Amino acid sequence: MPDACHSPVRALAAFEIGCLARNALRPGLRGTVSAVFERSFYIHVAGQEICLGPPGLGAGPLNLRCHVERPDWRAWGLREGAAVLPAPRAIRVPPNLSVSLSEATVWRPKAPGPWSAASLAAGLRALDALLPGRVPAEGLGVLALPRDPGARRPAVAAAARGPAAALARYLRRALALPLGAPTPTVPDLRALIGLGPGLTPSGDDLLGGALVALDLLGRLDLRDALWHGMRGH
């Protein structure tokens, strides 16, 4: 591997930056490289973790996507703990990497539109119709498919089956109660935290999805109870 001090300077151009990443990357602040992976790397600045990577990284509020197809961050001298220097139109990671922000558009999630119980049910039916043949073998997506008694679940899905079912029972019970009723005790969901593949593990995606869904349903009481229940465990 080339010595970092003698590697050529890599000047990348970002084409999209998430809204929270844009707010965090204020000139004059200093950050650090917190993790380096094969496709992406993370920087910590202003209390945020920002993910930098190629177009395939996908859009997100904390993602910074660059025009680079096959990055080799470590060969380019990138290391955990390296300084990150935000400037008005660029990010520098001395000594060998700079990322221009001058052409980057800011990505923001679209606001959810109006919904009803009928439109929600229709959307869930449409999702059920799309799932077969599209769910990856890894992760927890297979739990959304009808159970084939003769099929063996992947290890991650098998490990998640019990706590995922406990989460589903909790949500069904809690949502059936009238507003203002005491909130049921949140089950132990520790087995889902950090479980599975991905930069955000599949178990975390499931829990985060439940929190987002409760927020959109207007059940902030259940959202907060689930959040504090997970933190308590």
Side-chain angles (χ1 to χ4, degrees), residues 131-160:
L131 285 178
R134 293 172 180 251
V135 174
E138 296 297 326
L140 306 186
V142 294
L143 297 178
L145 299 174
R147 179 71 191 272
D148 181 353
R152 184 177 180 181
R153 292 195 188 277
V156 170

Side-chain angles (χ1 to χ4, degrees), residues 14 16-26 34 40-54 57-66 91 101 105-109 199-200:
E16 182 182 82
I17 182 170
C19 52
L20 296 182
R22 176 69 276 182
N23 292 340
L25 291 172
R26 298 189 296 273
S34 54
S40 61
F41 70 95
Y42 281 74
I43 64 174
H44 183 85
V45 61
Q48 297 279 16
E49 293 286 342
I50 299 169
C51 185
L52 286 80
L57 181 64
L62 290 170
N63 289 355
L64 179 58
R65 298 202 287 167
C66 304
I91 303 169
L101 304 177
T105 59
V106 178
W107 179 89
R108 291 182 175 85
L199 291 175
T200 53

Side-chain angles (χ1 to χ4, degrees), residues 4-17:
C5 293
H6 297 91
S7 299
V9 174
R10 303 281 177 171
L12 305 181
F15 65 89
E16 182 182 82
I17 182 170

Side-chain angles (χ1 to χ4, degrees), residues 45-148:
V45 61
Q48 297 279 16
E49 293 286 342
I50 299 169
C51 185
L52 286 80
L57 181 64
L62 290 170
N63 289 355
L64 179 58
R65 298 202 287 167
C66 304
H67 292 295
V68 56
E69 292 300 329
R70 290 182 174 85
D72 194 345
W73 308 115
R74 291 195 180 276
W76 296 353
L78 208 59
R79 299 288 185 274
E80 287 87 352
V84 175
L85 307 175
R89 301 177 70 85
I91 303 169
R92 291 195 304 113
V93 186
N96 301 319
L97 181 65
S98 68
V99 181
S100 171
L101 304 177
S102 59
E103 301 297 326
T105 59
V106 178
W107 179 89
R108 291 182 175 85
K110 293 181 179 179
W115 63 275
S116 64
S119 67
L120 178 58
L124 291 173
R125 288 193 298 270
L127 177 62
D128 286 339
L130 288 172
L131 285 178
R134 293 172 180 251
V135 174
E138 296 297 326
L140 306 186
V142 294
L143 297 178
L145 299 174
R147 179 71 191 272
D148 181 353

